[in-house]
Amino acid sequence: MAIALATGTFAVPVASARAADGAVRWAANDDDQLLLDVRVGRFRVGDGVRGYQTDNGICLDFADIIIAFDLPVRLDKKSRRATGWLFEESRTFTLDRDSGRVQIMNKSASLGAADIRDTPEGWCVDTRALGRWLDVTLTPALNDALLVVAADRKLPFELAEERKDRAARVRPAATFDLRSLPQAKDPYRFWRTPSVDVVASAGVQREKGRPTALNGRYDIFVAGEIARAAFDARLSSNDQGTPESFRVRAYRTSAEGGLLGPFNATHFGLGDVSLPSSFIGSRSTPGRGLYVTNRPLTRPDNFDRTSFRGELPDGWEAELYRNDQLIGYFQSRGDGRYEFLDVPLLYGQNRLEVVLYGPQGQIKRDVRMIPVGPNSIPPRETYYWAGIQDAGRDLVNLGSSDAQPFNGWRAGFGFERGIDARMSVGLSALTSVYEGRRDSYAEAMMRRAIGPSLVEITAAADIRGGSALRGQMLAQIGPAMIGAQSIWLFGGFRSEQYLPGLRAEHMASFDHSIKIGSRSIPYGFDATYRQSHNGNSSIEAKARTSFNIGGMTATTDVIWEQMKFAFGSDPPSRLDVALRLSGRAGGLRLRGEARFGVMGAAGFKESRLTAEWRSDDKANWRAELGYEALNRRGRLGFGYTRQFEKFALTGQLTAATDGSVAAQMSLAFSLGPNPNGGGFHMSSEKLASSGQAAVLVYQDLNADGRRQLDEPYEKSVEITTGMNGRGRPTDELGQTLIGGLEPYVPILVGIDADSLPDPYVQPASSGVVVTPRPGVAIVVELPLVAAGEVSGYLVREGGKIMGGLDVELLDAAGRMIRSTRSEYDGFFLFERVPYGQYRLRVGAMAANIVGVQSEIAVSVRLDRAKPTVDMGTVQLKPAMRIAASE
């Protein structure tokens, strides 16, 4: 922080005074007036203090000292008293001019004749007297217009300046309101050639007691557009290469809504779709049918739980994290789907992340932020859903469907209305097949935020006279998250969300974290009591804790269950322990799980450990070790994946302790249409299941934002996606294709300015926001323009130099495009600034620290005629501040 040096004069018409003996006494006059900056160590404190050079030394304005040192002292000119405390609450201070006494704590002393002088500004206190009162040394340095403060301890205002200095050095991470940035618009087309992801494998296997068998299977995923809607299809086979599953759907998704005209939908789908769970009766199901909703894309089905369902190719694995805590694992089961159903939510913000791991070392992430609390209730908004579905069956059924209790046709609708910011109500109606019997019922819900809690009451009734009533609550009490739920089912009412034959269920949960050193270890408990219509009952208790060690996340689950039978003897209690591990250790990516039985079926049950590592940027190794106690079988597997530009090859060997062996070779590749011409391109990246951006970089010579035929391409330019991602450099035609983008999640695509060879050629903007769509390459044009420099000096009113301030350069739309920090002498410089109209602003944190207004009423324009602008002295206005003495 720079120390400002400033002096000034005040035209105060005060004449000299003559004593009765005829001697001339000192009186305040403009020739003796001073304005000093206060300096303690390397810090400048306050906005300066006024004073005078008297015939007996230097005196300082007491009100200015009180403000500069931030002293809790009340100065009352009418009563001629000052009271308060000096730097410490125990160091009380009382000054009474009428009695001529000053008292500090229990010590009282007389005021000297020259200790306080009356001036037009107020009380002017001699520096020596002031130093005694404050227990500091005050040294005026008139040549430098400074008042140097020294003490044998750090004073409160010095500590405050140190904190401010530390805060000023902290630059907040750059944040962007993506809605304010340019958007890439690429309307749906009547036909867009699809992209294709292919995984094919062939192998040989010999199991104990069986002959050697050859196997081969494939999984093909296609995504494109037809009739101004997106479509995707998945065809997968069994181990003999016979088609086993074929799913197709057409759909549209828009986070902003506006689909289907007056329906203002955010999503609709036809074909293989998933219906949401209702309030109390039905669960989320996949199947063929039709679904439409205007609910936000990340809104959960119910306020205390949500479900995740997505595509999972053969050989892939999925993990589920809640607030960075591993809570679920899913292995490929051959149907191409993963499911995490009825995932419990906590009060507050829930960060849920599904991480998919592929056999070739692929990693895909899907992150959703789900708030639970008053913010989760839509005030004066109406959300709806409606759908019809043949649950459990694909649109094109190639074989027999798996027997599921919810298979069969179902249809329903539901809506929720926010009455105000703290209350919502909802209704739904549904007919479905459950365990071979059709149920039709209606439901009603009321949700209310009460303090730091959210309460929901739900009632349901079916056409057979059955009914159900449920109460739920989620709350936050201090750092603890608690939940409770009770449900009663009457008259034979059946719910797919609960166990068959249930009469009542009561649940309570508690989540907290404990601080051990610098680490925070989350833990949780929940207990459930169930009663069945047949008189049986059960108690189940679970405990979970999770902790991080370096880059590893370890989770422990303990589950205890006790059954009580209405007739006969009760079974023994069951106590199981599960350990999960995921993360990085050095260059290894580890995932593992182990299960133990402590009571009931006691003993070791199963374990698995997978390790992956890279030998170079294109080679990935994989080792897997596992054991199943039920079959008394251990297995060991090794795999190697080689990534090529067009495809990836994986070889894997597996052996088991029972003599079984297997070998398999897999090929993975994707095909996608060339976005800037005919034909296809082949890639090892998945093009159909993720979004793409086809980027074109060119020099915008006339700075109009549109490419003309004579404007050249720019090669070897690197493209950034989001805050950290980076794609391949542009080719000779200024083109590159960025893949692996999360569908329907807006992302900023821009130019990495550090990759540009000429510092005076810069991106015309921060970039363009793209909302990716699966299998579609959205064209993005990024212009480059000539650049210049903007410089100047920051000073405060009165000429005080302002060093160490964050200064921002804003474009004509008010977006920050550059940020810098002023030097010790107030100098600032913005380099490589694209031509255009700009204005300045002091960073909000810096402005608050030094007490100046953030906005600066100065603008500047850069163009070819004036590529460099020196703004000279830029004056900052002080923030609104009122300081007065009585």
Side-chain angles (χ1 to χ4, degrees), residues 43 120 132-133 164 212 304 316 318 330 361 372 396 426 551 564 588 704 725 731 744:
F43 297 106
R132 291 194 303 271
W133 300 349
K164 291 179 182 179
T212 301
D304 68 331
W316 285 57
F330 195 94
V372 174
V396 180
K564 294 288 185 180
L588 291 178
D704 66 348
D731 58 18
Y744 305 109

Side-chain angles (χ1 to χ4, degrees), residues 52-377:
Y52 287 90
Q53 187 170 5
T54 72
D55 57 352
N56 194 39
I58 304 296
C59 70
L60 303 172
D61 184 80
F62 195 29
D64 285 357
I65 289 292
I66 290 173
I67 293 175
F69 291 2
D70 197 18
L71 298 173
V73 174
R74 182 175 183 271
L75 191 155
D76 189 344
K77 290 183 178 179
K78 294 180 180 179
S79 65
R80 291 168 57 84
R81 285 171 56 86
T83 57
W85 46 273
L86 307 177
F87 300 143
E88 301 175 8
E89 290 187 70
S90 60
R91 190 176 174 81
T92 56
F93 172 77
T94 302
L95 171 64
D96 191 331
R97 295 194 63 184
D98 288 339
S99 65
R101 306 290 296 179
V102 58
Q103 180 173 330
I104 299 175
M105 300 177 66
N106 297 324
K107 295 181 180 181
S108 179
S110 299
L111 288 173
D115 285 352
I116 303 179
R117 301 174 188 264
D118 289 308
T119 65
E121 292 78 25
W123 298 356
C124 198
V125 183
D126 184 80
T127 55
R128 288 161 293 190
L130 193 58
R132 291 194 303 271
W133 300 349
L134 299 174
D135 193 21
V136 299
T137 300
L138 301 176
T139 305
L142 300 185
N143 290 337
D144 296 326
L146 290 176
L147 176 67
V148 181
V149 183
D152 58 1
R153 68 202 184 280
K154 287 192 175 183
L155 303 172
F157 59 84
E158 185 179 4
L159 294 172
E161 290 299 324
E162 289 181 353
R163 292 191 296 270
K164 291 179 182 179
D165 185 63
R166 289 194 298 269
R169 291 197 300 267
V170 176
R171 297 195 182 207
T175 57
F176 298 93
D177 182 1
L178 295 181
R179 293 171 297 182
S180 67
L181 297 175
Q183 308 286 315
K185 300 296 184 182
D186 194 347
Y188 284 84
R189 301 179 187 175
F190 187 83
W191 171 254
R192 198 187 295 259
T193 304
S195 298
V196 183
D197 295 341
V198 178
V199 178
S201 63
V204 58
Q205 181 176 355
R206 187 185 68 186
E207 294 187 4
K208 183 180 179 180
R210 295 184 181 181
T212 301
L214 299 177
N215 60 69
R217 61 184 306 140
Y218 53 83
D219 189 287
I220 303 173
F221 183 76
V222 178
E225 292 179 1
I226 187 171
R228 303 192 185 280
F231 78 90
D232 59 39
R234 178 179 293 279
L235 174 65
S236 58
S237 74
N238 57 21
D239 287 340
Q240 287 72 48
T242 303
E244 185 178 52
S245 174
F246 183 51
R247 296 198 295 269
V248 183
R249 66 166 177 162
Y251 67 98
R252 285 280 299 270
T253 298
S254 172
E256 295 79 20
L259 302 178
L260 298 180
F263 292 97
N264 193 30
T266 56
H267 176 83
F268 70 85
L270 174 66
D272 287 284
V273 299
S274 292
L275 293 189
S277 61
S278 65
F279 296 125
I280 197 172
S282 71
R283 56 168 284 177
S284 176
T285 55
R288 55 188 180 188
L290 170 67
Y291 174 65
V292 61
T293 183
N294 74 335
R295 295 158 57 94
L297 301 181
T298 59
R299 187 172 178 82
D301 296 347
N302 294 283
F303 90 105
D304 68 331
R305 62 192 184 279
T306 190
S307 297
F308 290 88
R309 182 181 284 112
E311 301 291 339
L312 188 70
D314 185 55
W316 285 57
E317 301 168 323
E319 290 179 344
L320 176 64
Y321 292 82
R322 183 187 62 199
N323 299 334
D324 297 323
Q325 183 179 10
L326 179 63
I327 62 173
Y329 170 79
F330 195 94
Q331 265 188 314
S332 173
R333 60 190 182 188
D335 64 351
R337 282 195 184 100
Y338 70 83
E339 290 182 328
F340 295 105
L341 302 178
D342 294 330
V343 178
L345 302 176
L346 304 177
Y347 189 89
Q349 188 67 268
N350 292 262
R351 183 184 186 275
L352 292 164
E353 180 180 21
V354 176
V355 184
L356 306 181
Y357 300 97
Q360 286 88 29
Q362 308 99 317
I363 298 179
K364 293 182 62 177
R365 300 178 185 273
D366 179 12
V367 178
R368 302 184 193 178
M369 305 299 292
I370 301 180
V372 174
N375 293 335
S376 65
I377 297 177

Side-chain angles (χ1 to χ4, degrees), residues 2 118 179 201 277 281 344 400 534 538 558 563 600 628 667 719 725 735:
D118 289 308
R179 293 171 297 182
S201 63
S277 61
S400 60
N534 60 12
S538 68
V558 180
M563 297 284 296
E628 300 173 10
L667 171 68
I719 306 301
Q735 300 173 359

Side-chain angles (χ1 to χ4, degrees), residues 719-785:
I719 306 301
T720 61
T721 53
M723 299 298 295
N724 301 309
R726 178 171 295 182
R728 296 174 181 171
T730 55
D731 58 18
E732 297 288 339
L733 297 178
Q735 300 173 359
T736 186
L737 186 68
I738 309 297
L741 304 181
E742 186 68 30
Y744 305 109
V745 178
I747 191 170
L748 180 66
V749 177
I751 294 173
D752 182 2
D754 292 336
S755 68
L756 297 174
D758 186 351
Y760 292 100
V761 174
Q762 290 293 300
S765 67
S766 300
V768 176
V769 177
V770 173
T771 302
R773 302 199 295 268
V776 174
I778 296 178
V779 177
V780 178
E781 294 188 351
L782 298 177
L784 297 171
V785 297

